[in-house]
């Protein structure tokens, strides 16, 4: 019996739409990373971009559980001595680009290589209800109803 190897021409990508309103950030990010990598497909190949495209709307309304909303801090370094910068969850959520919260969470759940960078480009995040990708006819995934822990009430 021979092992089947997926070819680039055989890859069929679908578009998915997820409404992030009231969803738990970590659970949402893990689901999105699985869809982007293509691990939900039977013909998953680790060395090819066989994942799907994901559109996330209402990124401003994502939630964290427990007291993490008050305590969570994002760090970045400028590269200069003493250049460690801190940003709280609320500052990022109410700042100029709240979509970075979901993007960072998904990025940190994927492997750090060139392929995951390419797969991450298949993620489109919008802060509010409107998105510009209606022409692709994305299939809606009701992530909140899959498990009661996925949504914060």
């Amino acid at each position: 019996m021979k092992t089947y190897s997926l070819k680039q021409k055989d890859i069929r990508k679908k578009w998915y739409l997820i409404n992030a309103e009231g969803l738990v950030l970590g659970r949402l990010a893990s689901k999105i990373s699985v869809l982007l990598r293509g691990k939900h497909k039977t013909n998953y190949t680790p060395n090819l971009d066989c994942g799907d495209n994901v559109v996330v709307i209402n990124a401003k309304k994502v939630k964290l559980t427990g007291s993490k909303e008050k305590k969570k801090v994002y760090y970045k370094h400028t590269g200069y001595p003493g250049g460690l910068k801190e940003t709280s969850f609320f500052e990022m959520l109410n700042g100029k680009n709240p979509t970075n919260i979901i993007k960072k969470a998904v990025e940190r759940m994927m492997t750090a290589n060139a392929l995951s960078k390419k797969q991450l480009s298949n993620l489109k995040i919008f802060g509010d209800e409107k998105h510009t990708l209606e022409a692709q006819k994305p299939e809606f995934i009701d992530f909140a109803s899959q498990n009661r822990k996925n949504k914060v009430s």
Side-chain angles (χ1 to χ4, degrees):
M1 183 172 179
K2 294 191 176 197
T3 304
Y4 174 73
S5 180
L6 188 67
K7 310 276 189 297
Q8 190 70 40
K9 63 181 179 180
D10 298 333
I11 295 173
R12 303 284 177 253
K13 289 184 172 253
K14 291 175 76 176
W15 284 81
Y16 292 108
L17 176 72
I18 298 176
N19 186 357
E21 185 174 358
L23 295 181
V24 177
L25 177 63
R27 288 172 169 269
L28 176 64
S30 66
K31 177 68 174 182
I32 292 171
S33 67
V34 166
L35 291 172
L36 288 176
R37 295 225 34 221
K39 286 191 147 192
H40 63 291
K41 295 182 175 182
T42 56
N43 57 359
Y44 168 69
T45 307
N47 63 326
L48 291 177
D49 180 16
C50 58
D52 294 323
N53 297 294
V54 179
V55 179
V56 179
I57 57 173
N58 287 327
K60 290 181 183 177
K61 299 176 183 173
V62 73
K63 301 288 183 192
L64 294 175
T65 57
S67 61
K68 283 181 266 189
E69 286 186 347
K70 297 176 190 124
K71 295 179 181 177
K72 187 155 183 68
V73 178
Y74 293 93
Y75 296 99
K76 71 175 186 178
H77 200 282
T78 62
Y80 292 97
L84 187 65
K85 304 291 181 186
E86 295 181 353
T87 309
S88 70
F89 177 75
F90 277 124
E91 288 173 7
M92 278 191 78
L93 198 62
N94 299 323
K96 63 179 180 179
N97 201 355
T99 59
N100 279 348
I101 293 173
I102 294 178
K103 185 177 179 185
K104 281 289 179 197
V106 173
E107 181 182 337
R108 291 170 179 172
M109 288 198 179
M110 298 177 78
T111 57
N113 56 27
L115 180 61
S116 67
K117 202 179 243 188
K118 183 179 178 190
Q119 291 169 339
L120 203 59
S121 70
N122 296 329
L123 174 64
K124 312 294 181 205
I125 306 171
F126 297 93
D128 52 353
E129 192 74 34
K130 294 179 269 183
H131 66 92
T132 58
L133 299 164
E134 288 92 10
Q136 280 71 28
K137 298 183 183 80
E139 179 183 324
F140 180 72
I141 295 178
D142 191 12
F143 184 64
S145 68
Q146 291 178 358
N147 188 341
R148 65 179 175 81
K149 294 179 181 179
N150 290 346
K151 190 167 178 89
V152 174
S153 47

